[in-house]
Amino acid sequence: MVTLTLLHPQASTPVQKWHFPIQSTILIGRSPDNDVVLNDPLVSRHHLELRVITAKSGNRWQIVNQGSNGTYINGVLVSREWLPENALIRLAREGPLLKFQINPVSRPTPSPIPQTPEGNFCSHQGNPPGNLFCIHCGQPLVVQRLIRHYQVLRTLGQGGMGTTYLAWDKIAQIEVRPSLLVLKEMNSDMMQIPKAQELFEREARTLKALKHSGIPQYYDFFVEGGKKYLAMELIHGQDLEQRVLTSGPVTPREAIDWMIQTCYILEYIHSCSPPLIHRDIKPANLLLRHRDNQIFVLDFGAVKEIGTLPGTRIGAEGYSAPEQDRGIPVTQSDLYAIGPTLIFLLTGKPPLKFWNKRGSLYRFDLSGVSTIAPPLRQTIDRVCEPNVCDRYQTAKELSHALAACL
């Protein structure tokens, strides 16, 4: 279990504590959709993330700065760094101070739901440890919860907006769709925030309307016990952020191929009527399927129809275009995010590390990165032009430019 303690700026005494018994990603910032919300003007809307990284030697926590004013560990400015026990994390040079602690916690094994016609799972003996399904009859071995006709088998992840579960749909065979799926549950505290409810429902509506091989398929949306749920297709894979964090930078050929695939998906959503803008293209929202290296675009809660009134600023710092930061995104804003995504994939470093003043404007500066060939560097430069009219105008145009870099 991780405990984060907000310390008094002068006395260093505890002011507030947050406990995270099972969470693998902890979001910290000023926006209400974070796990730890700090209302301080020095704190960015999405300032930093704490993530569990699984390695052979065991799980380790890593901090990733996304704040424009920086993040410090024990007084040292960092962009991405391992977190030692009892580390002091300061958001901005004079901002809030958090203490990071790992507390061992014993996790009881969930008790199986008593076998009933509603439960519909077996208790056969002789199944290997860790199996989700019986080798004799194929039914779930342990069901943690029953939500309508969805049997929750395992928690996949937990974030600021909701918790995702691996679930088994008892009636899927009747409706001719896969029985194993992802069930996303909106967190109770988020149910009290109208904007959070709007984003959750928007993701469900968008997924229901979209039909593309690179977008998870929508199955169901419902309210149960005062909570909102979204059922969608399960994709066996790893997001590109975790891929780089666990395995290091990828080859230019891999990065270009994945971004060309992303362009195909963006071309589809940009051609909808009215056109849709994803607004949150980044490595963590691009999933690579294990079996065929196909890219899937995730998280459609921030999608916006083009031509609608300016809204709140949504997007990851370092990946969002200037006009998107002003609340007026266009389809080319999604294309802009391909540039910093390529930078992260090829260097393993946050894109903002390469954000420098070039001439009269701040831009990504890759002049010192020898591993990025000049043609690809020029493509990244163009897609990240500050002015929309100077960028590639369509996803198809960008995909052709990327293909020419192979």
Side-chain angles (χ1 to χ4, degrees):
M1 179 174 72
V2 165
T3 298
L4 290 174
T5 305
L6 178 64
L7 302 178
H8 189 278
Q10 279 80 40
S12 293
T13 54
V15 175
Q16 186 177 354
K17 288 190 176 185
W18 295 266
H19 301 285
F20 302 95
I22 61 172
Q23 212 155 311
S24 59
T25 301
I26 301 171
L27 309 178
I28 303 172
R30 202 175 68 250
S31 175
D33 60 351
N34 289 286
D35 302 300
V36 175
V37 179
L38 300 172
N39 293 313
D40 188 296
L42 295 175
V43 176
S44 298
R45 287 176 54 81
H46 299 93
H47 197 104
L48 63 91
E49 294 184 11
L50 309 182
R51 304 192 185 99
V52 167
I53 305 297
T54 302
K56 292 182 180 179
S57 57
N59 292 342
R60 296 182 65 186
W61 281 88
Q62 187 178 62
I63 188 170
V64 179
N65 171 64
Q66 297 177 331
S68 56
N69 291 324
T71 300
Y72 297 77
I73 298 179
N74 297 332
V76 178
L77 179 66
V78 300
S79 58
R80 177 181 277 107
E81 191 58 72
W82 298 113
L83 268 173
E85 171 69 359
N86 295 318
L88 295 178
I89 305 170
R90 188 177 290 279
L91 286 72
R93 186 178 295 277
E94 303 295 335
L97 183 64
L98 296 169
K99 185 174 184 179
F100 170 85
Q101 294 172 293
I102 300 176
N103 313 108
V105 61
S106 58
R107 301 183 183 179
T109 303
S111 300
I113 299 173
Q115 187 170 351
T116 65
E118 291 76 19
N120 192 28
F121 67 99
C122 85
S123 57
H124 283 123
Q125 300 299 312
N127 282 288
N131 261 31
L132 289 175
F133 300 95
C134 177
I135 60 175
H136 306 288
C137 67
Q139 291 297 320
L141 291 171
V142 175
V143 176
Q144 296 180 357
R145 295 169 59 191
L146 186 63
I147 304 172
R148 287 199 176 178
H149 49 84
Y150 299 104
Q151 298 173 329
V152 174
L153 309 180
R154 178 185 294 169
T155 301
L156 295 176
Q158 190 170 18
M161 283 286 290
T163 303
T164 54
Y165 302 105
L166 180 67
W168 179 262
D169 185 358
K170 296 193 300 178
I171 66 171
Q173 295 90 340
I174 301 174
E175 301 182 6
V176 195
R177 71 184 188 206
S179 299
L180 202 59
L181 49 80
V182 171
L183 187 64
K184 187 174 182 179
E185 175 188 73
M186 189 174 185
N187 290 342
S188 299
D189 54 346
M190 290 293 105
M191 292 292 291
Q192 312 306 317
I193 304 174
K195 184 62 178 179
Q197 291 200 51
E198 177 192 338
L199 293 177
F200 195 90
E201 293 176 7
R202 185 187 300 173
E203 180 174 20
R205 290 196 306 270
T206 304
L207 285 180
K208 187 175 183 179
L210 298 178
K211 305 295 180 186
H212 190 278
S213 59
I215 298 174
Q217 187 176 347
Y218 164 94
Y219 292 148
D220 195 7
F221 176 75
F222 61 92
V223 178
E224 184 78 10
K227 291 186 177 182
K228 295 180 179 178
Y229 295 89
L230 169 61
M232 66 186 100
E233 180 184 5
L234 172 67
I235 311 295
H236 297 279
Q238 183 181 40
D239 71 63
L240 297 187
E241 183 177 65
Q242 285 299 317
R243 169 68 179 260
V244 171
L245 291 177
T246 55
S247 305
V250 305
T251 66
R253 179 168 291 275
E254 287 176 313
I256 291 171
D257 175 61
W258 297 340
M259 290 307 96
I260 289 175
Q261 290 189 52
T262 304
C263 284
Y264 292 156
I265 303 169
L266 290 178
E267 182 183 357
Y268 167 73
I269 69 170
H270 292 169
S271 64
C272 291
S273 183
L276 300 177
I277 311 166
H278 187 278
R279 293 202 295 174
D280 202 14
I281 296 296
K282 58 183 179 181
N285 284 338
L286 300 175
L287 186 75
L288 184 68
R289 187 161 63 184
H290 289 318
R291 65 180 172 88
D292 57 6
N293 279 346
Q294 180 178 338
I295 288 290
F296 285 77
V297 173
L298 309 179
D299 196 352
F300 283 79
V303 161
K304 183 179 179 67
E305 292 182 359
I306 197 167
T308 52
L309 293 174
T312 55
R313 186 264 187 201
I314 291 179
E317 289 183 282
Y319 293 91
S320 59
E323 69 280 355
Q324 183 169 323
D325 290 337
R326 298 192 296 268
I328 47 174
V330 291
T331 54
Q332 291 81 11
S333 306
D334 285 342
L335 306 185
Y336 178 100
I338 297 291
T341 298
L342 279 166
I343 294 173
F344 174 76
L345 294 177
L346 294 167
T347 66
K349 299 175 182 178
L352 286 178
K353 186 176 179 65
F354 303 92
W355 187 252
N356 295 310
K357 192 170 185 179
R358 294 169 57 186
S360 60
L361 299 172
Y362 276 87
R363 310 230 353 224
F364 292 113
D365 183 4
L366 303 174
S367 57
V369 185
S370 59
T371 55
I372 302 180
L376 182 55
R377 192 182 309 157
Q378 293 166 10
T379 301
I380 294 173
D381 277 345
R382 182 174 172 188
V383 80
C384 293
E385 286 283 353
N387 296 321
V388 174
C389 60
D390 295 330
R391 297 178 206 154
Y392 299 102
Q393 293 302 293
T394 66
K396 180 179 289 187
E397 185 184 4
L398 175 55
S399 69
H400 290 164
L402 289 170
C405 296
L406 289 172

